[in-house]
Amino acid sequence: MLKDFDLFSEDDKVSLLKGSAIDIMICSSNTLFDPKTHAFTNYLSRDQRAVMDTQIMPLDPLLMKIWGEELFHLTKKFLISMCNLDVDEVASTLLAPVILFSPDRSNIVDLELVKHLQTKYVTLLQKYMQWRYGVEQTENIYPKLLLQIITLRTLSLAHTEVIQKVMSTSSVNPLVQEVAAKPDVLNKSASDRM
């Protein structure tokens, strides 16, 4: 994936990262979320059962205070639904470049390359899942996994608003400010960019 990312100009790299950072962070957190206990764990790898320690991080009260009750419950619902798809870490990891190489990110110059790479990673994800789970099970869970990106986008926008509120009341690293800037994607229709 890094080789593919290096194909872009510096400006396109920044636009892709700005547009996808929060989406990818939320999506990736499903590997740290235990759907049985509905808590975040200290996993290094859920699939490998590699645990930093056996302590469960009691983040619920803190996250509820930071995010607000509604966003907390929506995020938890998303993480539970991701876990319920029962895909392994490889499939979850392959979803990250699908999210990163999204042609509806703002200020992208090389849209054709973005479209090509997203197609490449969507296909790679599907082929991996067919190998790992079989064609029949993949036909059931693969579309559901891709549909999660829609929910993820909504969550990402809500999390961006929370970050912006926090930024307005405290000094925040400029990189975080850049990532949390409202995306121009809200001002354009998807069909205008594709």
Side-chain angles (χ1 to χ4, degrees):
M1 184 176 91
L2 289 176
K3 212 174 200 180
D4 290 336
F5 190 69
D6 282 340
L7 297 172
F8 290 98
S9 68
E10 293 303 312
D11 289 342
D12 277 357
K13 287 178 184 177
V14 169
S15 294
L16 288 168
L17 287 173
K18 274 180 63 173
S20 65
I22 294 174
D23 297 12
I24 291 171
M25 284 188 286
I26 295 168
C27 187
S28 298
S29 66
N30 95 78
T31 63
L32 302 173
F33 187 77
D34 186 338
K36 294 175 187 159
T37 63
H38 292 194
F40 289 90
T41 59
N42 291 345
Y43 287 127
L44 290 175
S45 168
R46 183 175 61 206
D47 287 353
Q48 302 300 319
R49 305 285 189 257
V51 180
M52 288 285 291
D53 56 45
T54 56
Q55 178 180 4
I56 292 178
M57 293 183 263
L59 291 176
D60 289 13
L62 175 65
L63 294 175
M64 198 175 299
K65 185 174 184 177
I66 293 171
W67 296 344
E69 194 169 331
E70 182 180 359
L71 182 55
F72 173 79
H73 289 296
L74 288 172
T75 303
K76 210 168 187 178
K77 181 179 176 184
F78 168 78
L79 293 173
I80 291 167
S81 68
M82 283 292 290
C83 291
N84 287 342
L85 290 175
D86 203 26
V87 295
D88 62 11
E89 287 180 41
V90 174
S92 292
T93 301
L94 286 171
L95 192 59
V98 173
I99 295 166
L100 174 67
F101 298 125
S102 181
D104 64 346
R105 304 294 181 198
S106 60
N107 303 318
I108 299 294
V109 175
D110 198 345
L111 275 177
E112 289 307 311
L113 180 58
V114 174
K115 290 175 186 178
H116 169 76
L117 290 175
Q118 187 179 55
T119 300
K120 173 184 175 176
Y121 285 99
V122 163
T123 304
L124 183 61
L125 174 61
Q126 184 179 33
K127 286 182 184 243
Y128 168 76
M129 290 178 70
Q130 288 173 342
W131 170 82
R132 176 75 168 86
Y133 304 109
V135 173
E136 188 176 320
Q137 188 175 359
T138 298
E139 286 177 356
N140 182 35
I141 59 176
Y142 176 74
K144 293 175 185 175
L145 182 62
L146 292 182
L147 284 172
Q148 292 288 68
I149 295 173
I150 296 167
T151 305
L152 184 61
R153 285 289 180 92
T154 304
L155 276 176
S156 182
L157 291 173
H159 280 275
T160 299
E161 289 179 13
V162 169
I163 292 168
Q164 288 174 338
K165 285 179 188 173
V166 170
M167 287 185 335
S168 70
T169 61
S170 61
S171 65
V172 176
N173 179 305
L175 180 59
V176 175
Q177 291 176 3
E178 273 295 308
V179 169
K182 281 221 185 226
D184 293 337
V185 72
L186 298 175
N187 301 326
K188 302 176 189 174
S189 73
S191 62
D192 292 342
R193 291 179 302 280
M194 295 184 162

